[in-house]
């Protein structure tokens, strides 16, 4: 892995260098909204790398969990796979995300894979932890709350599986290799409820993504 050669622009809590770096990458679009900082880059990963990562997810997947259960057992019905950072395919993915975003890998949680079969979804949620939540200290006492989310669609389900940001009425369609990156904070660093999003039900086929979340302080 060439992590040593990266420009490391911090945790993302100070969003400015990350925004500037992302905006300078080829093919990156910034979604126009005063409420939410969201970038999209189509064709970020080539199909071959996506397929290799899907294979790694399939090898380890298990039912997904949520941090603050709200009593709705159907809230997040997908499967999750923790990827092995020592695997060269995963290392390549890590490097590509770091190079594209400028987010310092030291602040990143390990990459997770998610798989959604027909009818599975992740209902409206924010990726940051609610400071009033019962388990806030357990999840955030060491590394702090989440800053940025980076997500890549690894394939294209035949129908459904879009990601919907309700507050800005933006729906992103899954496409093989498409990257999404958003700041879970407002420019002043406060948690941004306008990041609320819904991984919508897959209607036909299967959907695979990877997600990587960043924290205020170094991870682990
Ligand atoms: O599957 C999606 O489109 C969204 C996934 C998501 O929001 C998450 O894993 O936190
Ligand atoms: Fe999410």
């Amino acid at each position: 892995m060439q992590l040593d050669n990266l420009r490391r622009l911090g945790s993302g809590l100070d969003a400015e260098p990350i925004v500037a770096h992302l905006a300078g990458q080829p093919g990156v679009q910034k979604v126009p909204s005063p409420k939410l900082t969201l970038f999209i880059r189509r064709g970020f990963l080539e199909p071959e790398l996506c397929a290799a990562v899907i294979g790694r997810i399939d090898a380890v997947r298990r039912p997904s969990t949520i941090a603050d259960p709200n009593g709705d057992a159907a809230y997040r019905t997908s499967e999750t796979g923790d990827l092995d950072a020592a695997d060269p395919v995963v290392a390549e993915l890590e490097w590509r995300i770091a190079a594209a975003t400028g987010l310092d890998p030291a602040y990143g949680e390990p990459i997770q894979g998610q798989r959604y079969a027909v009818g599975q979804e992740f209902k409206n949620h924010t990726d940051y932890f609610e400071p009033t939540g019962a388990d806030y200290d357990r999840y955030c006492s060491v590394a702090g709350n989440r800053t940025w989310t980076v997500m890549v669609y690894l394939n294209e389900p035949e129908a459904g599986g879009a990601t919907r940001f309700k507050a800005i009425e933006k729906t992103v369609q899954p496409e093989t290799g498409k990257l999404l990156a958003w700041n879970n904070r407002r420019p002043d660093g406060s948690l941004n409820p306008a990041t609320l999003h819904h991984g919508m039900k897959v209607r036909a086929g299967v959907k695979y993504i990877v997600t990587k979340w960043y924290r205020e302080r170094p991870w682990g």
Side-chain angles (χ1 to χ4, degrees):
M1 194 165 31
Q2 304 131 293
L3 281 176
D4 288 347
N5 302 332
L6 287 171
R7 286 188 68 200
R8 296 168 184 255
L9 302 174
S11 70
L13 189 59
D14 174 10
E16 253 176 70
I18 304 301
V19 168
H21 183 78
L22 271 165
Q25 298 296 302
V28 168
Q29 298 165 255
K30 186 176 186 300
V31 174
S33 168
K35 288 190 185 166
L36 164 61
T37 304
L38 168 64
F39 292 90
I40 302 177
R41 180 172 171 185
R42 296 177 69 194
F44 165 63
L45 290 186
E46 50 282 359
E48 295 71 23
L49 182 54
C50 292
V53 176
I54 285 174
R56 297 328 193 254
I57 296 171
D58 276 338
V60 295
R61 60 190 161 87
R62 54 174 169 84
S64 305
T65 55
I66 49 176
D68 288 316
N70 63 356
D72 178 358
Y75 203 73
R76 187 186 191 193
T77 49
S78 54
E79 291 182 289
T80 295
D82 291 310
L83 299 179
D84 175 8
D87 180 326
V89 165
V90 178
E92 170 72 11
L93 180 61
E94 288 279 6
W95 186 83
R96 297 283 296 272
I97 290 174
T101 61
L103 287 158
D104 186 335
Y107 296 87
E109 298 178 32
I111 294 182
Q112 274 193 4
Q114 320 288 347
R115 178 186 189 270
Y116 300 79
V118 170
Q120 294 184 336
E121 66 181 321
F122 190 175
K123 291 182 186 173
N124 269 319
H125 66 280
T126 55
D127 287 350
Y128 57 79
F129 298 90
E130 286 298 342
T132 53
D135 290 331
Y136 182 78
D137 285 345
R138 183 150 74 92
Y139 289 105
C140 300
S141 60
V142 176
N145 213 333
R146 286 177 172 159
T147 59
W148 283 68
T149 299
V150 176
M151 189 181 128
V152 185
Y153 302 100
L154 300 174
N155 78 330
E156 214 170 290
E158 285 147 51
T163 310
R164 178 158 173 73
F165 294 84
K166 195 177 161 182
I168 61 166
E169 292 183 25
K170 175 79 185 170
T171 303
V172 182
Q173 296 300 331
E175 265 177 44
T176 305
K178 184 195 266 181
L179 173 138
L180 293 188
W182 68 87
N183 186 2
N184 291 297
R185 313 300 185 98
R186 301 187 187 91
D188 69 358
S190 60
L191 300 170
N192 186 356
T195 56
L196 193 76
H197 56 282
H198 179 184
M200 295 168 76
K201 275 186 187 169
V202 170
R203 301 288 176 188
V206 56
K207 170 185 167 188
Y208 287 87
I209 61 169
V210 283
T211 43
K212 188 167 177 73
W213 294 286
Y214 295 83
R215 298 293 186 119
E216 294 166 331
R217 296 188 289 276
W219 179 263

PDB file of all heavy atoms in Angstrom, residues 35-56:
ATOM      1  N   LYS A  35     -27.644  23.159   2.485  1.00  0.00           N
ATOM      2  CA  LYS A  35     -27.901  22.409   3.726  1.00  0.00           C
ATOM      3  C   LYS A  35     -26.906  21.294   3.990  1.00  0.00           C
ATOM      4  O   LYS A  35     -26.778  20.825   5.122  1.00  0.00           O
ATOM      5  CB  LYS A  35     -29.281  21.740   3.636  1.00  0.00           C
ATOM      6  CG  LYS A  35     -30.447  22.674   3.730  1.00  0.00           C
ATOM      7  CD  LYS A  35     -31.687  21.830   3.869  1.00  0.00           C
ATOM      8  CE  LYS A  35     -32.948  22.650   3.855  1.00  0.00           C
ATOM      9  NZ  LYS A  35     -34.118  21.785   3.651  1.00  0.00           N
ATOM     10  N   LEU A  36     -26.283  20.820   2.933  1.00  0.00           N
ATOM     11  CA  LEU A  36     -25.520  19.574   3.054  1.00  0.00           C
ATOM     12  C   LEU A  36     -24.372  19.567   2.055  1.00  0.00           C
ATOM     13  O   LEU A  36     -24.567  19.924   0.897  1.00  0.00           O
ATOM     14  CB  LEU A  36     -26.503  18.421   2.778  1.00  0.00           C
ATOM     15  CG  LEU A  36     -25.987  17.027   2.464  1.00  0.00           C
ATOM     16  CD1 LEU A  36     -25.174  16.500   3.626  1.00  0.00           C
ATOM     17  CD2 LEU A  36     -27.174  16.091   2.228  1.00  0.00           C
ATOM     18  N   THR A  37     -23.187  19.157   2.504  1.00  0.00           N
ATOM     19  CA  THR A  37     -22.025  19.044   1.617  1.00  0.00           C
ATOM     20  C   THR A  37     -21.917  17.609   1.145  1.00  0.00           C
ATOM     21  O   THR A  37     -21.540  16.718   1.917  1.00  0.00           O
ATOM     22  CB  THR A  37     -20.753  19.462   2.371  1.00  0.00           C
ATOM     23  OG1 THR A  37     -20.953  20.784   2.881  1.00  0.00           O
ATOM     24  CG2 THR A  37     -19.543  19.456   1.453  1.00  0.00           C
ATOM     25  N   LEU A  38     -22.265  17.386  -0.116  1.00  0.00           N
ATOM     26  CA  LEU A  38     -22.327  16.038  -0.683  1.00  0.00           C
ATOM     27  C   LEU A  38     -21.659  16.029  -2.049  1.00  0.00           C
ATOM     28  O   LEU A  38     -21.981  16.856  -2.913  1.00  0.00           O
ATOM     29  CB  LEU A  38     -23.798  15.614  -0.803  1.00  0.00           C
ATOM     30  CG  LEU A  38     -24.134  14.365  -1.621  1.00  0.00           C
ATOM     31  CD1 LEU A  38     -23.516  13.110  -0.995  1.00  0.00           C
ATOM     32  CD2 LEU A  38     -25.656  14.190  -1.713  1.00  0.00           C
ATOM     33  N   PHE A  39     -20.728  15.100  -2.224  1.00  0.00           N
ATOM     34  CA  PHE A  39     -20.018  14.946  -3.499  1.00  0.00           C
ATOM     35  C   PHE A  39     -20.344  13.595  -4.115  1.00  0.00           C
ATOM     36  O   PHE A  39     -20.508  12.600  -3.392  1.00  0.00           O
ATOM     37  CB  PHE A  39     -18.504  15.023  -3.283  1.00  0.00           C
ATOM     38  CG  PHE A  39     -18.013  16.381  -2.867  1.00  0.00           C
ATOM     39  CD1 PHE A  39     -17.924  16.730  -1.530  1.00  0.00           C
ATOM     40  CD2 PHE A  39     -17.641  17.321  -3.825  1.00  0.00           C
ATOM     41  CE1 PHE A  39     -17.470  17.983  -1.145  1.00  0.00           C
ATOM     42  CE2 PHE A  39     -17.181  18.577  -3.445  1.00  0.00           C
ATOM     43  CZ  PHE A  39     -17.100  18.915  -2.106  1.00  0.00           C
ATOM     44  N   ILE A  40     -20.381  13.584  -5.438  1.00  0.00           N
ATOM     45  CA  ILE A  40     -20.614  12.342  -6.184  1.00  0.00           C
ATOM     46  C   ILE A  40     -19.525  12.219  -7.245  1.00  0.00           C
ATOM     47  O   ILE A  40     -19.211  13.197  -7.925  1.00  0.00           O
ATOM     48  CB  ILE A  40     -21.998  12.356  -6.870  1.00  0.00           C
ATOM     49  CG1 ILE A  40     -23.112  12.554  -5.834  1.00  0.00           C
ATOM     50  CG2 ILE A  40     -22.222  11.072  -7.679  1.00  0.00           C
ATOM     51  CD1 ILE A  40     -24.507  12.663  -6.432  1.00  0.00           C
ATOM     52  N   ARG A  41     -18.976  11.021  -7.360  1.00  0.00           N
ATOM     53  CA  ARG A  41     -17.994  10.771  -8.432  1.00  0.00           C
ATOM     54  C   ARG A  41     -18.335   9.452  -9.117  1.00  0.00           C
ATOM     55  O   ARG A  41     -18.186   8.374  -8.522  1.00  0.00           O
ATOM     56  CB  ARG A  41     -16.587  10.736  -7.853  1.00  0.00           C
ATOM     57  CG  ARG A  41     -15.536  10.469  -8.921  1.00  0.00           C
ATOM     58  CD  ARG A  41     -14.152  10.645  -8.341  1.00  0.00           C
ATOM     59  NE  ARG A  41     -13.132  10.188  -9.268  1.00  0.00           N
ATOM     60  CZ  ARG A  41     -11.841  10.140  -8.981  1.00  0.00           C
ATOM     61  NH1 ARG A  41     -11.408  10.526  -7.793  1.00  0.00           N
ATOM     62  NH2 ARG A  41     -10.975   9.699  -9.870  1.00  0.00           N
ATOM     63  N   ARG A  42     -18.828   9.554 -10.335  1.00  0.00           N
ATOM     64  CA  ARG A  42     -19.178   8.357 -11.094  1.00  0.00           C
ATOM     65  C   ARG A  42     -17.905   7.695 -11.599  1.00  0.00           C
ATOM     66  O   ARG A  42     -16.909   8.360 -11.864  1.00  0.00           O
ATOM     67  CB  ARG A  42     -20.056   8.727 -12.285  1.00  0.00           C
ATOM     68  CG  ARG A  42     -21.381   9.302 -11.852  1.00  0.00           C
ATOM     69  CD  ARG A  42     -22.201   9.739 -13.048  1.00  0.00           C
ATOM     70  NE  ARG A  42     -22.652   8.578 -13.833  1.00  0.00           N
ATOM     71  CZ  ARG A  42     -23.156   8.678 -15.060  1.00  0.00           C
ATOM     72  NH1 ARG A  42     -23.250   9.850 -15.651  1.00  0.00           N
ATOM     73  NH2 ARG A  42     -23.556   7.609 -15.687  1.00  0.00           N
ATOM     74  N   GLY A  43     -17.949   6.372 -11.705  1.00  0.00           N
ATOM     75  CA  GLY A  43     -16.824   5.632 -12.271  1.00  0.00           C
ATOM     76  C   GLY A  43     -15.545   5.755 -11.454  1.00  0.00           C
ATOM     77  O   GLY A  43     -14.454   5.666 -11.986  1.00  0.00           O
ATOM     78  N   PHE A  44     -15.700   5.939 -10.159  1.00  0.00           N
ATOM     79  CA  PHE A  44     -14.522   6.083  -9.289  1.00  0.00           C
ATOM     80  C   PHE A  44     -13.713   4.779  -9.250  1.00  0.00           C
ATOM     81  O   PHE A  44     -12.497   4.791  -9.343  1.00  0.00           O
ATOM     82  CB  PHE A  44     -14.968   6.509  -7.892  1.00  0.00           C
ATOM     83  CG  PHE A  44     -13.932   6.345  -6.827  1.00  0.00           C
ATOM     84  CD1 PHE A  44     -12.743   7.072  -6.879  1.00  0.00           C
ATOM     85  CD2 PHE A  44     -14.131   5.469  -5.766  1.00  0.00           C
ATOM     86  CE1 PHE A  44     -11.778   6.918  -5.898  1.00  0.00           C
ATOM     87  CE2 PHE A  44     -13.172   5.309  -4.779  1.00  0.00           C
ATOM     88  CZ  PHE A  44     -11.998   6.033  -4.844  1.00  0.00           C
ATOM     89  N   LEU A  45     -14.377   3.670  -9.069  1.00  0.00           N
ATOM     90  CA  LEU A  45     -13.680   2.370  -9.048  1.00  0.00           C
ATOM     91  C   LEU A  45     -14.028   1.576 -10.297  1.00  0.00           C
ATOM     92  O   LEU A  45     -15.182   1.569 -10.721  1.00  0.00           O
ATOM     93  CB  LEU A  45     -14.108   1.533  -7.839  1.00  0.00           C
ATOM     94  CG  LEU A  45     -13.668   1.965  -6.458  1.00  0.00           C
ATOM     95  CD1 LEU A  45     -14.091   0.895  -5.450  1.00  0.00           C
ATOM     96  CD2 LEU A  45     -12.173   2.224  -6.371  1.00  0.00           C
ATOM     97  N   GLU A  46     -13.054   0.886 -10.841  1.00  0.00           N
ATOM     98  CA  GLU A  46     -13.310   0.092 -12.028  1.00  0.00           C
ATOM     99  C   GLU A  46     -14.059  -1.194 -11.632  1.00  0.00           C
ATOM    100  O   GLU A  46     -13.927  -1.681 -10.497  1.00  0.00           O
ATOM    101  CB  GLU A  46     -12.019  -0.205 -12.800  1.00  0.00           C
ATOM    102  CG  GLU A  46     -10.872  -0.742 -12.003  1.00  0.00           C
ATOM    103  CD  GLU A  46     -10.139   0.348 -11.197  1.00  0.00           C
ATOM    104  OE1 GLU A  46     -10.494   1.546 -11.254  1.00  0.00           O
ATOM    105  OE2 GLU A  46      -9.216  -0.034 -10.482  1.00  0.00           O
ATOM    106  N   PRO A  47     -14.842  -1.727 -12.566  1.00  0.00           N
ATOM    107  CA  PRO A  47     -15.686  -2.893 -12.267  1.00  0.00           C
ATOM    108  C   PRO A  47     -14.907  -4.086 -11.724  1.00  0.00           C
ATOM    109  O   PRO A  47     -15.421  -4.825 -10.877  1.00  0.00           O
ATOM    110  CB  PRO A  47     -16.333  -3.227 -13.616  1.00  0.00           C
ATOM    111  CG  PRO A  47     -16.294  -1.946 -14.400  1.00  0.00           C
ATOM    112  CD  PRO A  47     -15.090  -1.201 -13.931  1.00  0.00           C
ATOM    113  N   GLU A  48     -13.665  -4.256 -12.170  1.00  0.00           N
ATOM    114  CA  GLU A  48     -12.884  -5.410 -11.705  1.00  0.00           C
ATOM    115  C   GLU A  48     -12.598  -5.319 -10.203  1.00  0.00           C
ATOM    116  O   GLU A  48     -12.707  -6.306  -9.476  1.00  0.00           O
ATOM    117  CB  GLU A  48     -11.549  -5.508 -12.470  1.00  0.00           C
ATOM    118  CG  GLU A  48     -11.679  -5.781 -13.954  1.00  0.00           C
ATOM    119  CD  GLU A  48     -12.219  -4.595 -14.779  1.00  0.00           C
ATOM    120  OE1 GLU A  48     -12.099  -3.422 -14.334  1.00  0.00           O
ATOM    121  OE2 GLU A  48     -12.783  -4.847 -15.863  1.00  0.00           O
ATOM    122  N   LEU A  49     -12.234  -4.121  -9.754  1.00  0.00           N
ATOM    123  CA  LEU A  49     -11.971  -3.960  -8.316  1.00  0.00           C
ATOM    124  C   LEU A  49     -13.274  -4.117  -7.530  1.00  0.00           C
ATOM    125  O   LEU A  49     -13.304  -4.743  -6.466  1.00  0.00           O
ATOM    126  CB  LEU A  49     -11.296  -2.597  -8.041  1.00  0.00           C
ATOM    127  CG  LEU A  49     -10.924  -2.310  -6.593  1.00  0.00           C
ATOM    128  CD1 LEU A  49     -10.057  -3.415  -5.979  1.00  0.00           C
ATOM    129  CD2 LEU A  49     -10.180  -0.963  -6.482  1.00  0.00           C
ATOM    130  N   CYS A  50     -14.372  -3.570  -8.062  1.00  0.00           N
ATOM    131  CA  CYS A  50     -15.677  -3.731  -7.401  1.00  0.00           C
ATOM    132  C   CYS A  50     -16.017  -5.209  -7.236  1.00  0.00           C
ATOM    133  O   CYS A  50     -16.442  -5.648  -6.162  1.00  0.00           O
ATOM    134  CB  CYS A  50     -16.773  -3.036  -8.207  1.00  0.00           C
ATOM    135  SG  CYS A  50     -16.621  -1.238  -8.224  1.00  0.00           S
ATOM    136  N   ALA A  51     -15.807  -5.978  -8.296  1.00  0.00           N
ATOM    137  CA  ALA A  51     -16.144  -7.408  -8.256  1.00  0.00           C
ATOM    138  C   ALA A  51     -15.281  -8.132  -7.225  1.00  0.00           C
ATOM    139  O   ALA A  51     -15.761  -9.007  -6.491  1.00  0.00           O
ATOM    140  CB  ALA A  51     -15.960  -8.024  -9.637  1.00  0.00           C
ATOM    141  N   ALA A  52     -14.014  -7.754  -7.150  1.00  0.00           N
ATOM    142  CA  ALA A  52     -13.128  -8.395  -6.172  1.00  0.00           C
ATOM    143  C   ALA A  52     -13.589  -8.087  -4.749  1.00  0.00           C
ATOM    144  O   ALA A  52     -13.591  -8.959  -3.874  1.00  0.00           O
ATOM    145  CB  ALA A  52     -11.692  -7.921  -6.392  1.00  0.00           C
ATOM    146  N   VAL A  53     -14.022  -6.837  -4.512  1.00  0.00           N
ATOM    147  CA  VAL A  53     -14.474  -6.464  -3.163  1.00  0.00           C
ATOM    148  C   VAL A  53     -15.780  -7.195  -2.822  1.00  0.00           C
ATOM    149  O   VAL A  53     -15.969  -7.662  -1.689  1.00  0.00           O
ATOM    150  CB  VAL A  53     -14.627  -4.932  -3.033  1.00  0.00           C
ATOM    151  CG1 VAL A  53     -15.185  -4.560  -1.662  1.00  0.00           C
ATOM    152  CG2 VAL A  53     -13.284  -4.231  -3.264  1.00  0.00           C
ATOM    153  N   ILE A  54     -16.668  -7.334  -3.806  1.00  0.00           N
ATOM    154  CA  ILE A  54     -17.914  -8.089  -3.580  1.00  0.00           C
ATOM    155  C   ILE A  54     -17.584  -9.511  -3.111  1.00  0.00           C
ATOM    156  O   ILE A  54     -18.208 -10.030  -2.179  1.00  0.00           O
ATOM    157  CB  ILE A  54     -18.775  -8.103  -4.868  1.00  0.00           C
ATOM    158  CG1 ILE A  54     -19.425  -6.734  -5.067  1.00  0.00           C
ATOM    159  CG2 ILE A  54     -19.845  -9.199  -4.807  1.00  0.00           C
ATOM    160  CD1 ILE A  54     -20.190  -6.580  -6.385  1.00  0.00           C
ATOM    161  N   GLY A  55     -16.586 -10.110  -3.725  1.00  0.00           N
ATOM    162  CA  GLY A  55     -16.180 -11.463  -3.314  1.00  0.00           C
ATOM    163  C   GLY A  55     -15.733 -11.495  -1.859  1.00  0.00           C
ATOM    164  O   GLY A  55     -16.055 -12.421  -1.114  1.00  0.00           O
ATOM    165  N   ARG A  56     -15.025 -10.466  -1.454  1.00  0.00           N
ATOM    166  CA  ARG A  56     -14.552 -10.398  -0.055  1.00  0.00           C
ATOM    167  C   ARG A  56     -15.740 -10.211   0.893  1.00  0.00           C
ATOM    168  O   ARG A  56     -15.751 -10.745   2.005  1.00  0.00           O
ATOM    169  CB  ARG A  56     -13.588  -9.235   0.148  1.00  0.00           C
ATOM    170  CG  ARG A  56     -12.268  -9.240  -0.624  1.00  0.00           C
ATOM    171  CD  ARG A  56     -11.691 -10.566  -0.883  1.00  0.00           C
ATOM    172  NE  ARG A  56     -10.310 -10.514  -1.337  1.00  0.00           N
ATOM    173  CZ  ARG A  56      -9.908 -10.735  -2.597  1.00  0.00           C
ATOM    174  NH1 ARG A  56     -10.792 -11.026  -3.540  1.00  0.00           N
ATOM    175  NH2 ARG A  56      -8.623 -10.706  -2.905  1.00  0.00           N
TER     176      ARG A  56
END
